[in-house]
Amino acid sequence: MNGIDSSPIRKAFELARSIENPINLSIGQPHFPCPPNIIEAMNQAAKDGKTAYTLTGGIPELKEAMAKKYISGNGISYAHPDRILSTSGISSALFLLFNALVNPGDECLVVSPYFLMYPAMLKFYGAKLLTVDESFGPADLEKFKTNKIKLIIFSNPSNPTGKVLSKEQLHALANLAEATGAFLISDEIYELFDYDKKFYSIGKDYEKTITLTGFSKTYNMTGLRLATILAEKEVIQALTTLQQYTVVCAPSITQWAGIEALKTDMSSYIQDYKEKRDFVYDSLKDHYSLEKSGGAFYFFLKIPIQDEEFIKKAVEKKLILVPGYIFCESKNFVRLSFATEWDNLKRGMTALQELASRL
Amino acid sequence: MNGIDSSPIRKAFELARSIENPINLSIGQPHFPCPPNIIEAMNQAAKDGKTAYTLTGGIPELKEAMAKKYISGNGISYAHPDRILSTSGISSALFLLFNALVNPGDECLVVSPYFLMYPAMLKFYGAKLLTVDESFGPADLEKFKTNKIKLIIFSNPSNPTGKVLSKEQLHALANLAEATGAFLISDEIYELFDYDKKFYSIGKDYEKTITLTGFSKTYNMTGLRLATILAEKEVIQALTTLQQYTVVCAPSITQWAGIEALKTDMSSYIQDYKEKRDFVYDSLKDHYSLEKSGGAFYFFLKIPIQDEEFIKKAVEKKLILVPGYIFCESKNFVRLSFATEWDNLKRGMTALQELASRL
């Protein structure tokens, strides 16, 4: 258990509670409420008595709705309810996958910077970590072709950088998976937060992909715990057995909420975040070296001093960020979330501009 | 994954769907609906926007309410919110415990017959299983005192037998835990289903006990996924870290429902089950060799032929039961659940009487 370090995010959370009127840009979830039609559908399910265990794999109605979504929304023509498992959020999906697939000593390739849960849990299950920077080209993957890789995992769009992987990069990862026999896991929890329409589901072209789709971020349902896994039937069967003996099923009423969520138009929320993305980029591009985020709701900001020190200085301005070292090997980044109100975001950009001029 | 056999319960479920008007006595959850005040509290939480992640360990309000419940309901005077973790049901609690505590080769003692998830998951995590029959006396545990036991686990009242362990038995288990350094895990999900007022929380006398308390069975919230773990602070901290990286938190709205559940008087439901327990015993005692169930809502029926064969004959009478071999080493038992309507139960007893006279 000791290899797991989650203290920086907890620290940010505690800081935000201790500061009066903080500028909290550390939050990894949307600032808008879960749309009321979703709440209503969930409450109706509860009133209708849908409080008992569901089938382990999820209610058929949700799996059918998800199959349609994968086909029409992601272009994954082979999607089918038998290939879908509903879980208690992406984290549960990851736990099922890692626990079922990873044996001690297995090599696992993670695209870096990474969602901090990947290496933490992979190490917990005894994996040997390999990383490749998200800026990789196909040639950079050649060196891994002689490895015996158990799985390849990435989030697309990325938490913490907002990077949307190109089709060429995704094909290169799929080729590597095919060549090494690795499972390819595409974590697409931020898929709707895709500001330049560049997001691509690699599952569309590579049928062995394990595609993870979350409801938490898109609809602000993080506390309701719902995600789905799309994978080959044999993988789904193994994960279903493991789910039966661990979490049993995703919450019943949340699954009904999920069906309603899929009918909900989120474009105005996404447009708002796109404007915020642009605003952050325009505010910081002359002060910091940074890549324009393409998705999710994060910027991964390069900073001229060590992250922990930078964060201390930011706190003096009531600004709360997450240090980059928990997402990659470098200590020269901080993660900034623009999932917040305009007021807050404007105050944050002013604080960051002042900080840059002082350093 | 291949060591896990859940097919008999799945088979029972499928059978029940394929038979017209079946007598289904295989169900492991209450037949009454979740009380409406609990549904209302949950729906209100959703309307109030409580759909985001909660603290990993659970909302403080639930932990405080549970601490009070442990003190006044179970007599566990040291209970405190810092020693409580809320999880997505007992199964999640078990997964957290086994995954955190069990290393390959560890010896784990399970009271038999057992809830089938215990040996399945313990074996999955590489444990070596030791068992002791639930009829044990203190002397029967002596032989384990030289073992290096990692954990001892039992459900009290028991699924599948309805056995309520005596205070003497519980003290003997606690003594063994103390002598061997094992973690003592008392799964009390059926605590309210205690028909002769004999249930005792061993946590009251042995402070190192890990006490598991579920909401699923008591309030028919199986699909809402809520349970709590009461343990020493260090254990809770480790489990909280693991939860943060796996299930993240119990469903937010379910936690609010849990607070309301604790205020709900379930005595009329329990009284109904007590009458059903008596009815089953009176109906079968002259036809089968059976122990009177003291708790939960099961009888573990000794049968004169092999369980799978018995179950086939029962199905001819539309009666659905669960074979005993998944709960113990013997093939001469079936599990019968009396969590059902009176009509159904009466039909079931008639069928079982007829079966006995034929065998």
Side-chain angles (χ1 to χ4, degrees):
Chain A
M1 294 299 309
N2 299 327
I4 301 183
D5 177 18
S6 61
S7 51
I9 285 189
R10 212 165 34 224
K11 224 185 268 173
F13 183 85
E14 278 157 20
L15 263 175
R17 282 164 42 129
S18 68
I19 296 173
E20 203 187 334
N21 199 10
I23 313 166
N24 192 350
L25 304 186
S26 76
I27 306 281
Q29 58 186 314
H31 76 293
F32 53 79
C34 179
N37 58 312
I38 300 176
I39 301 291
E40 265 167 49
M42 182 168 67
N43 287 0
Q44 191 59 50
K47 279 185 207 154
D48 293 346
K50 288 167 178 154
T51 64
Y53 293 127
T54 71
L55 289 172
T56 308
I59 57 174
E61 292 85 348
L62 175 62
K63 295 205 285 183
E64 275 153 30
M66 280 305 297
K68 282 185 194 148
K69 175 251 182 291
Y70 282 124
I71 293 168
S72 64
N74 303 77
I76 301 177
S77 58
Y78 56 81
H80 184 276
D82 287 352
R83 293 186 179 220
I84 293 170
L85 171 67
S86 81
T87 69
S88 294
I90 294 269
S91 333
S92 277
L94 292 172
F95 142 69
L96 291 174
L97 283 163
F98 294 166
N99 205 359
L101 302 177
V102 178
N103 293 314
D106 281 352
E107 292 187 312
C108 297
L109 179 63
V110 181
V111 175
S112 172
Y114 35 68
F115 176 41
L116 73 167
M117 197 181 272
Y118 305 156
M121 287 312 291
L122 286 171
K123 279 184 212 158
F124 180 73
Y125 287 116
K128 264 182 64 187
L129 232 63
L130 307 169
T131 61
V132 62
D133 190 85
E134 65 179 21
S135 62
F136 73 90
D140 298 313
L141 299 184
E142 283 302 319
K143 64 175 179 229
F144 297 113
K145 289 218 165 147
T146 52
N147 289 62
K148 203 170 164 296
I149 303 177
K150 179 53 84 66
L151 64 83
I152 302 169
I153 187 165
F154 54 89
S155 69
N156 183 33
S158 161
N159 173 7
T161 69
K163 165 90 172 175
V164 177
L165 291 172
S166 71
K167 208 165 152 177
E168 186 189 30
Q169 287 180 304
L170 292 166
H171 282 156
L173 289 170
N175 289 341
L176 179 62
E178 185 63 23
T180 59
F183 291 93
L184 185 70
I185 304 174
S186 179
D187 177 353
E188 305 182 356
I189 191 167
Y190 293 100
E191 65 174 308
L192 245 70
F193 302 91
D194 167 33
Y195 307 116
D196 308 312
K197 299 283 162 240
K198 288 190 176 163
F199 168 73
Y200 192 83
S201 280
I202 181 60
K204 185 176 174 178
D205 299 331
Y206 184 62
E207 201 167 331
K208 291 184 199 162
T209 306
I210 297 172
T211 303
L212 308 184
T213 306
F215 289 74
S216 292
K217 309 290 181 176
T218 315
Y219 308 101
N220 203 356
M221 291 168 53
T222 52
L224 303 184
R225 318 306 305 123
L226 186 64
T228 58
I229 305 176
L230 172 70
E232 292 182 288
K233 225 167 151 177
E234 299 68 34
V235 174
I236 292 298
Q237 279 165 354
L239 299 179
T240 303
T241 302
L242 188 56
Q243 172 147 296
Q244 193 173 359
Y245 281 81
T246 50
V247 188
V248 182
C249 61
S252 54
I253 51 172
T254 298
Q255 295 185 55
W256 291 101
I259 295 171
E260 180 67 24
L262 291 174
K263 301 174 191 161
T264 309
D265 178 13
M266 300 303 289
S267 54
S268 63
Y269 297 92
I270 305 298
Q271 179 58 28
D272 176 52
Y273 278 10
K274 182 178 179 174
E275 286 163 24
K276 284 171 174 159
R277 188 271 312 251
D278 292 339
F279 173 70
V280 170
Y281 183 69
D282 291 340
S283 302
L284 299 183
K285 69 180 187 319
D286 298 334
H287 304 271
Y288 293 89
S289 143
L290 84 167
E291 297 269 338
K292 189 170 190 172
S293 166
F297 32 71
Y298 305 110
F299 271 87
F300 206 53
L301 204 61
K302 188 156 197 198
I303 45 170
I305 57 173
Q306 290 231 329
D307 49 11
E308 300 251 45
E309 204 189 328
F310 186 86
I311 276 167
K312 269 187 209 149
K313 291 187 193 293
V315 166
E316 288 165 18
K317 295 186 175 294
K318 301 189 170 212
L319 174 62
I320 299 167
L321 301 163
V322 179
Y325 80 84
I326 58 172
F327 304 107
C328 64
E329 295 296 306
S330 164
K331 289 184 185 297
N332 285 108
F333 291 89
V334 289
R335 188 189 77 174
L336 171 167
S337 162
F338 51 88
T340 187
E341 302 291 348
W342 276 106
D343 262 14
N344 209 28
L345 199 61
K346 284 174 187 168
R347 288 171 65 212
M349 293 309 106
T350 305
L352 281 167
Q353 287 164 356
E354 287 170 10
L355 270 172
S357 68
R358 261 182 54 199
L359 293 169
Chain B
M1 295 299 310
N2 299 328
I4 301 182
D5 177 17
S6 63
S7 51
I9 285 188
R10 211 166 34 225
K11 222 185 268 171
F13 184 84
E14 277 155 22
L15 262 176
R17 282 167 40 133
S18 68
I19 296 173
E20 202 187 333
N21 198 10
I23 313 165
N24 192 349
L25 304 186
S26 76
I27 306 282
Q29 57 186 315
H31 76 293
F32 53 79
C34 180
N37 59 310
I38 300 176
I39 301 292
E40 265 168 49
M42 182 169 68
N43 287 0
Q44 191 57 50
K47 280 185 206 154
D48 291 346
K50 288 167 178 156
T51 64
Y53 293 126
T54 70
L55 290 171
T56 308
I59 57 172
E61 291 85 347
L62 175 62
K63 296 205 286 183
E64 275 153 30
M66 281 306 296
K68 282 184 195 150
K69 176 251 183 291
Y70 282 124
I71 294 168
S72 64
N74 304 76
I76 301 177
S77 59
Y78 56 81
H80 184 276
D82 287 352
R83 292 184 179 222
I84 294 169
L85 171 68
S86 81
T87 70
S88 295
I90 294 268
S91 334
S92 278
L94 292 173
F95 142 68
L96 290 174
L97 282 163
F98 294 167
N99 205 1
L101 301 177
V102 178
N103 293 315
D106 281 352
E107 292 187 312
C108 296
L109 178 63
V110 181
V111 175
S112 172
Y114 34 70
F115 176 41
L116 74 168
M117 197 181 273
Y118 304 157
M121 288 311 291
L122 286 171
K123 280 185 211 157
F124 180 72
Y125 287 117
K128 262 183 65 186
L129 232 63
L130 308 170
T131 61
V132 63
D133 190 85
E134 65 179 19
S135 62
F136 74 90
D140 299 313
L141 299 184
E142 282 304 317
K143 62 174 179 230
F144 298 113
K145 289 217 164 144
T146 53
N147 288 64
K148 204 171 163 295
I149 302 178
K150 178 53 81 72
L151 62 84
I152 302 169
I153 187 164
F154 55 88
S155 67
N156 183 32
S158 160
N159 173 8
T161 68
K163 164 92 173 173
V164 177
L165 292 172
S166 71
K167 209 164 152 177
E168 187 188 30
Q169 287 181 304
L170 291 166
H171 283 155
L173 289 170
N175 289 341
L176 179 62
E178 185 63 22
T180 59
F183 291 94
L184 185 70
I185 304 174
S186 179
D187 177 353
E188 304 181 355
I189 191 166
Y190 292 100
E191 65 175 308
L192 245 70
F193 303 92
D194 167 33
Y195 307 115
D196 307 312
K197 299 284 164 239
K198 288 192 174 158
F199 168 73
Y200 193 82
S201 280
I202 181 59
K204 184 174 174 178
D205 300 330
Y206 185 60
E207 200 168 332
K208 292 184 199 162
T209 306
I210 297 172
T211 302
L212 309 184
T213 306
F215 289 73
S216 292
K217 309 288 182 178
T218 315
Y219 308 102
N220 203 354
M221 292 170 52
T222 52
L224 303 183
R225 316 308 304 124
L226 186 65
T228 58
I229 306 176
L230 172 70
E232 291 182 291
K233 226 169 152 176
E234 300 67 36
V235 174
I236 292 298
Q237 280 164 354
L239 298 180
T240 304
T241 302
L242 188 57
Q243 172 147 296
Q244 192 173 359
Y245 282 81
T246 50
V247 187
V248 182
C249 60
S252 53
I253 52 172
T254 298
Q255 295 185 56
W256 291 102
I259 296 171
E260 180 66 24
L262 291 174
K263 300 174 191 160
T264 309
D265 178 13
M266 301 303 288
S267 54
S268 63
Y269 298 93
I270 305 298
Q271 179 58 28
D272 176 52
Y273 278 10
K274 182 178 179 173
E275 286 163 22
K276 284 172 174 159
R277 188 270 313 250
D278 292 340
F279 173 69
V280 170
Y281 183 71
D282 291 340
S283 303
L284 300 183
K285 68 180 187 323
D286 299 333
H287 304 272
Y288 293 88
S289 142
L290 84 166
E291 296 270 336
K292 189 170 192 174
S293 166
F297 33 70
Y298 306 110
F299 272 85
F300 207 53
L301 205 60
K302 187 153 195 199
I303 46 170
I305 56 173
Q306 290 232 328
D307 49 11
E308 300 252 46
E309 204 189 327
F310 187 87
I311 276 167
K312 268 187 210 150
K313 292 188 192 294
V315 166
E316 287 166 17
K317 295 186 173 297
K318 300 189 170 214
L319 174 62
I320 299 167
L321 301 162
V322 179
Y325 80 84
I326 58 173
F327 305 107
C328 64
E329 296 295 304
S330 163
K331 288 185 185 296
N332 286 107
F333 292 89
V334 290
R335 189 189 76 174
L336 172 167
S337 162
F338 51 88
T340 187
E341 302 292 350
W342 275 106
D343 262 14
N344 210 26
L345 200 61
K346 285 174 187 167
R347 289 172 64 214
M349 293 310 104
T350 306
L352 280 168
Q353 287 164 356
E354 287 170 10
L355 271 171
S357 68
R358 262 183 53 199
L359 292 170

